[in-house]
Amino acid sequence: KQTYELVRELAKPYPKNPEAHFAVALAAYNGGVPENGNDNTALEETERALALNPGWERAALLKSEIVSRKKPDEAIAYLSLFVAANPDAKAAAGALAQLYVEQKRFAEARAVFQRLWDRDRSAREFEFGVAVLSVQMKDWETAESLFQDLKRANYGDNGAVELYLAQLAEETGRYQDAIDRYKAVPEGERGWLAKLRVAAMMAKLGKMGEARKYL
């Protein structure tokens, strides 16, 4: 809060500078000032910054973060408009998708990542987002196709893609395929989980003795 007081004083001579208002907003937000009574300093200063620089993505992200704490639907509405007006704002689009996920609106979140991926097919992180959300939606066919594509592209680390592919085989009742895929997950935290699932798949195939021996 002392930082907030200092930044506020330093910013006073620059009322037409969006960065000055943003600095005050960020200091207020980090200092917990918005939580004191009816003080909305962080939001008000962010909106002043955006009034001076409407397309400023970082300020838009801060506004959505502040608003989403109490009114996630309003934050979603705001970010939707901002992303529509600023189609190159990838971070804002990602934040919008995250808000959709938090509200369990998986189809809308997937649509956001799909639009981002359509604009840049080399951005595998967006393809991964579409794939993960397809799993959440139980769209197994789409998820399988995307994760296979990601595997061919050697995307991801620590066996993330391999583990999802194994889980997809399990979810769709292909237990032997699931065993083979779980065994392909590299060592590490995911590899340990995969080992446990191998035994579970053996049990689902009725191979209880083999499962016990494997464990």
Side-chain angles (χ1 to χ4, degrees), residues 11-55:
K12 278 183 179 179
Y14 309 100
K16 295 183 179 180
N17 186 306
E19 287 82 2
H21 290 290
F22 179 80
V24 174
L26 194 59
Y29 185 60
N30 288 337
V33 175
E35 298 176 1
N36 294 341
N38 295 317
D39 190 343
N40 294 313
T41 301
L43 180 58
E44 291 168 0
E45 289 293 328
T46 304
E47 289 178 337
R48 290 187 182 108
L50 285 164
L52 292 165
N53 187 357

Side-chain angles (χ1 to χ4, degrees), residues 1-201:
K1 291 181 181 179
Q2 287 176 309
T3 302
Y4 161 68
E5 295 293 344
L6 175 61
V7 171
R8 187 176 64 172
E9 288 301 314
L10 289 170
K12 278 183 179 179
Y14 309 100
K16 295 183 179 180
N17 186 306
E19 287 82 2
H21 290 290
F22 179 80
V24 174
L26 194 59
Y29 185 60
N30 288 337
V33 175
E35 298 176 1
N36 294 341
N38 295 317
D39 190 343
N40 294 313
T41 301
L43 180 58
E44 291 168 0
E45 289 293 328
T46 304
E47 289 178 337
R48 290 187 182 108
L50 285 164
L52 292 165
N53 187 357
W56 192 7
E57 187 175 18
R58 184 65 188 88
L61 287 168
L62 180 57
K63 177 178 176 177
S64 68
E65 188 175 339
I66 294 168
V67 173
S68 67
R69 293 189 310 162
K70 295 183 179 179
K71 300 177 181 179
D73 289 340
E74 284 189 19
I76 287 172
Y78 168 70
L79 273 182
S80 296
L81 291 173
F82 184 85
V83 170
N86 302 274
D88 291 328
K90 294 180 180 179
L96 174 60
Q98 182 59 40
L99 285 172
Y100 278 135
V101 169
E102 290 171 5
Q103 297 296 306
K104 300 191 183 303
R105 295 164 64 174
F106 300 125
E108 289 157 296
R110 184 171 71 168
V112 172
F113 279 119
Q114 184 70 53
R115 286 194 295 271
L116 289 169
W117 187 42
D118 287 343
R119 288 172 61 85
D120 182 4
R121 285 284 169 164
S122 67
R124 294 289 183 173
E125 66 272 20
F126 299 136
E127 182 182 12
F128 186 80
V130 175
V132 170
L133 287 161
S134 296
V135 172
Q136 293 287 344
M137 296 168 63
K138 302 187 186 304
D139 183 355
W140 310 129
E141 184 177 351
T142 298
E144 177 93 17
S145 176
L146 292 172
F147 279 120
Q148 289 286 10
D149 186 53
L150 287 163
K151 183 178 180 181
R152 288 190 293 270
N154 292 317
Y155 177 83
D157 57 1
N158 300 322
V161 170
E162 288 82 358
L163 184 60
Y164 269 113
L165 282 169
Q167 290 170 337
L168 283 167
E170 179 179 349
E171 288 286 355
T172 52
R174 294 173 291 148
Y175 300 134
Q176 187 57 54
D177 285 344
I179 289 173
D180 295 337
R181 290 179 180 184
Y182 278 126
K183 286 183 176 180
V185 177
E187 293 294 331
E189 185 176 348
R190 292 189 179 96
W192 173 248
L193 173 63
K195 283 180 168 60
L196 297 178
R197 296 312 302 160
V198 167
M201 295 305 95

